[in-house]
Amino acid sequence: MSPAVLYRQLPGEGLDAFIAEFRKAAARDPFGTVFIVPTSHLAREIVRRLREEDVPVVADTVTTLSGFARKIFLDYATSETLISGAESRLILARLLDAGKYPLLSGTGAVDELATLFEAILMWKVDYPAALDDLATARCVEIARLFDAYRRFLDEHDLVDERALFARVVRILSDTGWFRTVYIYGLFEPMPRTAGRYYARPPRTVFVYGLFEPMPLERDLLLSLRESAEDFHYSIPYARNPVVFADDGEWLLPDTVISGDAPDTRRSRLALLFSRAKSADCGGCIRLAERRDGLDEVRAIAQEIRDLVAAGVRPGEIAVAFPDLSSALPCVEAVFPEFGVPYVASDGRPLSALPLVRALLDVAAVPARGYRREDVVALAASPFLPITCGCDLDLLSREARITAGAASWDEQFAALLRTVEDERDRPETPEPARSRLAAKAVSIASARDAVGTLFADLSMLEGTKTLAGHIAVYRSLIERWQAPVMSKMGDPDLLGEFINLLASFERLVRLLPEEKMSLAEFSSLLAQLAAGTRTARRRNSGGVQVVGVREVAHLAVPYLFVGNLVEGVMPQLTTPPPFTADAGTRRSGARSREDILREERYYFTAALLSARSRIYLSYPATDGATPVIRSGFVDAVREAFSPGMWGDGDLPDSGLAAIRQACASIARGESVTETLRIPPALDPAAIPADARETTPPGLPLRDDIPTAVVPPGVPPNGEGERVYSASEIEAHLRGPAESRLPGFAAGDDALIRGLAVHEVFRGRDPAAVLRRHGLDPIRAPEYRELYSRFLASPLMQGIVRDHREVPFLVRVNGIAFRGVIDRLVQRLNGAWMLIDYKTGTPGDAADYAIQMTVYCHAAGQFLGSPVTPYLYFVDADRWAEIEVDEERVFAEIGRAVRGIEEENL
């Protein structure tokens, strides 16, 4: 067992020292050093800091505990496939739909059961045996479903995110990493072919800021300690047991370093909830009550504008909410109104975005029986090429259409006859006759357009296999050449939806012959979209909008924490779904008291992240319903006697400016001088997905000084752009290479290339082929390709072998990210970079940009030169690459300038 050093420190303390030590260790051993932190937000922040300091990073070495587990799994598991939370929920939904678990049906059952299963696994609960006499018939049924779900995963070689930790603990215990080995009497042992056993566990491990790891997480941490040579573990701690109960002794540390701080503002904040006497925090905490949630966010936006007017940069401000997903729509509506640039730490559910909603409605309209409101919404979508040439909404109302494909034609036909009869009456005046004739044309046009639309949608109807539904759905969207990408659209969102369809198709391979109705297919697709979030928009120039749990350990000059109401903060949702408090205590899982302590911790850690000032707020009502402010607010009042913030005026509100202008117009006054619309603080910083539904920001007042732009941030407020070699190459090849992704089934060559990369990573060929929808009977062919590669002369005498190496470095002044296929070290210490190519070998010059960037990246984090090779898989041919770097860098510079000009 390696010596372990335990650090007990306040949240956020000692982070700079950990980063500095990680830098030193990673410089010596870039692949054998890992830095584990509690949130992906903090991991991104650390990587950003390293990038700004020009420190080359093997990107996946700064990660969360779950991210580290995922990396180990992908490196060492051969035949198993990791599935997402959304995919596991789809499997649960199919099991429930079988009708064998009547006590577990109902709205929201899948999500609640997924939560319960996670608790059972992470807390290592023997369910339902642990409940003993408290077990009910429902508990027994849950256990049967849990067993059926695990059997399904085992039969299909799947691992879900809940079982990932247990699987990785087994991998670490099975790899046979011995500290002392005696070998006697072997005669000329044959060299081992390069394979997964050349990979080593991390030798230096830094773990920072994890709060009370669950039993299965502790197992993984202890396994890491067993295999590492240096293990440093920093635990958030203060002498306040109602918040900080974990002292880290379960780690059995060899050395304990206490970070007990003197009587400082931060140490006094850490005593919150301890019922200590009231303390002086120097007026750093301020509190406000607002009318409702919308008024609260508007007050926050105005206070941000006031801070910026005083010289604070937007990037020095963070706004945290206990439930970010529910607060984000309000932020998206309000911040642009005030011209506040921001970046949200988490994306929105795909199903909440207008573009994706329109694509989902294509299947939902016939699945729901052609309801009037659904058809009207589909026809009105700007993303679909459906033109009715009429006011479909008004005409369908007049025709009294409610639902049913046949009803639309019958009701329109009846309305058309009524209008034509009225038009043809002798007593009808000529002006009315002309109006009725035009109306008849509109009705006939609507009838024809709806008929054509329904004929297309009818292709989706009926009972089909999942593969059949997806094929018809893809075909229809492709035939429509949808979506129509207007300025409201975002190509990245379209790509994310296409990726979602690809993940849906992976489920097809698990249920190849199972048939379902269109309604079931539409429901599953909607569930998958609701459980998939858009990618986070990278932008370091705006206000950070985060969840309360994400702000812990950061250093934020100005922090706002909003929506502090009971039921949200703290959110006491225990016991787990389908259980009771007594059952939770009996099983050993988290109790209500544990949850309260956790909520107290994250609130306290958020307060400790603020370096200058903290703004707390809560709404008095939710619509017309009064709400109760959080007990945490009362605790802050008792402990620190906070001041107040916000005077109720909102001078920078765009709506307020419009109201004033309307009032001036009503009085007959000119508004030319009072209503000006110059650029906002930084419109480019408003996330692209928010631009779909929100108006542009309104102006700053003329007397507000321009905020100082920090070094390294371009003038438009964006954070430093990070490029990929493929993006540069596509731009240089021209617009045809940069077209939007399509909905047709995946390119066979592309799918085969992905399969080859996975096999060359050490995955079982049959499992890989099944995952990508290819015939597993071809597994020997792929196995032979990999064996041939390993038998190559250049792959002999390999002592270190790293596959799929992600990087984030600066090359010639430009930030690049990418993934290197393979880095191997020979007996003489020389490093080779290998990039696989499938298909017909091309000119080496075609790969000059990629190989130049990759070689510079590898050379930076290895600290030694790298020889680049292309390996053409099908031809079994190696090619050493030599490039004219001066020409390559000139081409890269030209592409970057062109991309920036296009963005402007």
Side-chain angles (χ1 to χ4, degrees), residues 21-354:
E21 291 302 314
F22 169 76
R23 282 186 56 176
K24 295 176 187 177
R28 295 190 301 269
D29 187 2
F31 296 107
T33 306
V34 66
F35 194 169
I36 296 172
V37 294
T39 66
S40 57
H41 188 82
L42 182 57
R44 290 192 298 266
E45 176 65 16
I46 292 171
V47 170
R48 182 193 64 78
R49 288 176 55 176
L50 293 172
R51 189 178 80 234
E52 289 180 351
E53 298 169 7
D54 280 338
V55 178
V57 179
V58 179
D60 60 2
T61 57
V62 182
T63 184
T64 61
L65 192 60
S66 60
F68 174 78
R70 177 184 292 268
K71 169 181 166 52
I72 294 295
F73 177 86
L74 293 176
D75 282 346
Y76 289 93
T78 56
S79 62
E80 295 163 308
T81 298
L82 183 65
I83 60 174
S84 68
E87 290 172 304
S88 69
R89 280 167 165 76
L90 289 180
I91 295 170
L92 268 179
R94 297 309 298 160
L95 292 174
L96 284 175
D97 287 344
K100 298 179 180 179
Y101 311 97
L103 299 179
L104 306 181
S105 59
T107 304
V110 170
D111 288 337
E112 291 184 347
L113 286 164
T115 301
L116 176 60
F117 289 176
E118 180 178 11
I120 291 172
L121 286 168
M122 297 304 292
W123 284 88
K124 301 169 66 174
V125 176
D126 183 10
Y127 190 91
L131 300 180
D132 198 13
D133 57 307
L134 296 178
T136 64
R138 176 181 264 194
C139 294
V140 173
E141 197 161 282
I142 289 172
R144 286 200 300 110
L145 175 63
F146 184 66
D147 289 342
Y149 173 72
R150 303 310 304 173
R151 279 198 308 274
F152 184 94
L153 297 190
D154 290 342
E155 289 167 2
H156 294 86
D157 278 337
L158 302 177
V159 174
D160 65 10
E161 294 174 341
R162 294 180 287 273
L164 179 62
F165 284 85
R167 183 67 186 92
V168 169
V169 169
R170 290 201 302 274
I171 288 174
L172 292 176
S173 63
D174 291 343
T175 48
W177 292 317
F178 300 106
R179 284 285 168 250
T180 305
V181 179
Y182 295 88
I183 302 178
Y184 179 85
L186 297 188
F187 175 74
E188 294 186 359
M190 296 177 60
R192 179 193 290 274
T193 58
R196 69 190 186 99
Y197 296 105
Y198 281 97
R200 300 178 302 173
R203 295 195 296 185
T204 306
V205 177
F206 297 90
V207 183
Y208 182 89
L210 302 189
F211 175 76
E212 295 188 8
M214 291 179 281
L216 200 51
E217 292 174 323
R218 291 187 179 187
D219 288 349
L220 178 53
L221 291 167
L222 289 169
S223 295
L224 268 178
R225 183 193 165 172
E226 288 280 352
S227 60
E229 295 177 5
D230 290 298
F231 190 86
H232 301 267
Y233 189 94
S234 177
I235 192 169
Y237 187 77
R239 296 185 184 279
N240 183 3
V242 298
V243 177
F244 303 94
D246 179 14
D247 60 7
E249 287 297 331
W250 55 270
L251 193 64
L252 301 177
D254 298 279
T255 305
V256 178
I257 299 176
S258 177
D260 287 342
D263 185 24
T264 62
R265 176 173 67 84
R266 297 189 78 245
S267 65
R268 291 192 290 271
L269 283 173
L271 295 177
L272 182 63
F273 305 111
S274 67
R275 299 193 178 277
K277 64 180 181 179
S278 180
D280 178 17
C281 283
C284 69
I285 304 179
R286 301 182 181 183
L287 180 64
E289 176 183 289
R290 304 301 294 192
R291 182 179 62 253
D292 53 30
L294 179 61
D295 186 48
E296 181 185 22
V297 175
R298 288 164 64 84
I300 291 172
Q302 180 60 57
E303 194 71 20
I304 290 172
R305 292 300 296 260
D306 293 343
L307 287 171
V308 172
V312 177
R313 294 196 300 267
E316 296 176 321
I317 303 169
V319 181
F321 294 97
D323 183 2
L324 178 59
S325 60
S326 64
L328 196 54
C330 195
V331 171
E332 291 172 342
V334 170
F335 276 26
E337 175 200 340
F338 282 77
V340 173
Y342 71 96
V343 55
S345 66
D346 195 10
R348 300 169 62 192
L350 278 181
S351 59
L353 303 175

Side-chain angles (χ1 to χ4, degrees), residues 472-484:
V472 174
Y473 179 78
R474 278 187 180 275
S475 174
L476 178 58
I477 297 294
E478 186 75 14
R479 186 155 61 84
W480 280 357
Q481 295 186 338
V484 177

Side-chain angles (χ1 to χ4, degrees), residues 476-685:
L476 178 58
I477 297 294
E478 186 75 14
R479 186 155 61 84
W480 280 357
Q481 295 186 338
V484 177
M485 297 302 292
S486 66
K487 291 182 179 179
M488 296 171 61
D490 183 343
D492 290 340
L493 297 181
L494 176 58
E496 289 175 25
F497 185 74
I498 291 174
N499 291 339
L500 177 142
L501 273 184
S503 68
F504 202 12
E505 287 178 316
R506 287 197 290 270
L507 186 63
V508 170
R509 293 147 203 164
L510 306 180
L511 308 167
E513 304 302 326
E514 183 172 341
K515 293 190 175 183
M516 62 182 67
S517 67
L518 175 60
E520 290 176 295
F521 168 75
S522 176
S523 175
L524 288 176
L525 184 59
Q527 285 181 46
L528 192 58
T532 305
R533 306 191 79 82
T534 60
R536 173 183 174 271
R537 308 295 174 181
R538 295 185 180 92
N539 183 331
S540 59
V543 173
Q544 300 179 66
V545 180
V546 297
V548 165
R549 294 181 174 227
E550 294 175 297
V551 80
H553 309 292
L554 299 180
V556 181
Y558 298 88
L559 173 69
F560 292 81
V561 182
N563 199 30
L564 292 173
V565 298
E566 285 294 318
V568 177
M569 189 82 190
Q571 185 179 37
L572 301 178
T573 56
T574 52
F578 299 108
T579 65
D581 271 327
T584 301
R585 286 191 294 271
R586 180 75 63 82
S587 67
R590 287 194 309 175
S591 67
R592 200 174 189 85
E593 292 76 16
D594 295 329
I595 292 290
L596 178 58
R597 185 174 62 256
E598 181 178 335
E599 293 281 283
R600 285 171 170 170
Y601 163 75
Y602 282 109
F603 181 71
T604 303
L607 300 186
L608 289 169
S609 72
R611 295 298 185 257
S612 296
R613 197 173 302 155
I614 304 164
Y615 298 84
L616 306 179
S617 59
Y618 59 92
T621 63
D622 180 7
T625 306
V627 296
I628 302 172
R629 68 171 177 261
S630 170
F632 290 4
V633 172
D634 295 329
V636 169
R637 278 178 162 171
E638 294 172 7
F640 306 121
S641 302
M644 305 302 291
W645 68 271
D647 57 10
D649 293 333
L650 304 172
D652 290 308
S653 165
L655 293 178
I658 293 172
R659 283 196 295 267
Q660 290 174 2
C662 291
S664 297
I665 292 172
R667 293 193 298 269
E669 300 170 359
S670 172
V671 297
T672 305
E673 297 300 321
T674 58
L675 187 61
R676 301 183 302 277
I677 311 182
L681 268 176
D682 181 9

Side-chain angles (χ1 to χ4, degrees), residues 728 814 816 849 853 887-897:
I728 299 294
I814 299 169
F816 279 95
I849 289 176
V853 170
R887 184 186 65 79
V888 169
F889 287 139
E891 288 288 282
I892 290 174
R894 180 167 67 87
V896 168
R897 288 190 296 274

